[in-house]
């Protein structure tokens, strides 16, 4: 089982990957939205912002987030690490219910280029 630190590093690596992207992916990452990533097996939520093509983790909360972020992800820590390492495809994990993504329709259409 992935630790909180491993999950935080995975989010940082994902942020670095977004910052180094180009073309359609870079344009899709240029959103300015609140973001939460709930790690279900650790009962932890990372809250922050997707801004200027980077994910900025602002806080780590025990349990579910107190507010509703504009972009909300939920998954196990192992799935987060596996996706960032390229061992698990987001589309497959999402289709099987291993990863949950909630956002407004316009944001979902833009985010599909990232994921």
């Amino acid at each position: 089982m992935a630790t909180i630190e491993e999950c935080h590093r995975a989010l940082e690596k994902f942020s670095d990957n977004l910052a180094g992207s180009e073309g359609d992916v870079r344009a899709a990452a240029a959103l300015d939205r609140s973001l939460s990533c709930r790690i279900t097996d650790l009962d932890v939520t990372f809250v922050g912002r997707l801004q200027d093509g980077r994910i900025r983790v602002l806080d780590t909360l025990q349990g579910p987030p107190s507010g509703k972020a504009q972009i909300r992800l939920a998954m196990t820590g192992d799935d987060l690490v596996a996706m960032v390492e390229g061992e698990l495809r987001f589309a497959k994990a999402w289709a099987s219910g291993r990863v949950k993504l909630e956002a407004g329709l316009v944001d979902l259409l833009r985010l599909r280029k990232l994921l």
Side-chain angles (χ1 to χ4, degrees):
M1 179 165 65
T3 66
I4 292 172
E5 292 78 21
E6 289 170 324
C7 292
H8 193 269
R9 281 193 302 270
L11 286 172
E12 288 176 348
K13 183 175 180 178
F14 183 52
S15 179
D16 291 344
N17 293 346
L18 288 177
S21 63
E22 297 178 357
D24 288 345
V25 173
R26 180 72 176 162
L31 296 170
D32 182 6
R33 302 287 188 271
S34 59
L35 174 75
S36 68
C37 182
R38 177 137 170 77
I39 307 301
T40 56
D41 56 333
L42 298 175
D43 194 27
V44 166
T45 303
F46 296 99
V47 293
R49 291 202 73 78
L50 173 61
Q51 186 176 35
D52 298 325
R54 294 198 68 85
I55 296 170
R56 289 179 175 76
V57 175
L58 303 173
D59 204 358
T60 304
L61 307 173
Q62 194 65 36
S66 57
K68 188 174 177 182
Q70 293 167 302
I71 299 171
R72 299 167 303 282
L73 291 160
M75 68 197 81
T76 67
D78 288 341
D79 285 344
L80 172 62
V81 171
M83 281 191 301
V84 172
E85 294 299 323
E87 300 165 3
L88 176 64
R89 305 269 310 154
F90 175 83
K92 181 179 179 181
W94 182 61
S96 68
R98 290 171 63 178
V99 173
K100 293 178 178 39
L101 169 64
E102 297 178 34
L105 182 60
V106 173
D107 289 340
L108 285 173
L109 292 173
R110 288 186 74 179
L111 290 170
R112 68 186 166 91
K113 294 176 184 172
L114 298 178
L115 308 168

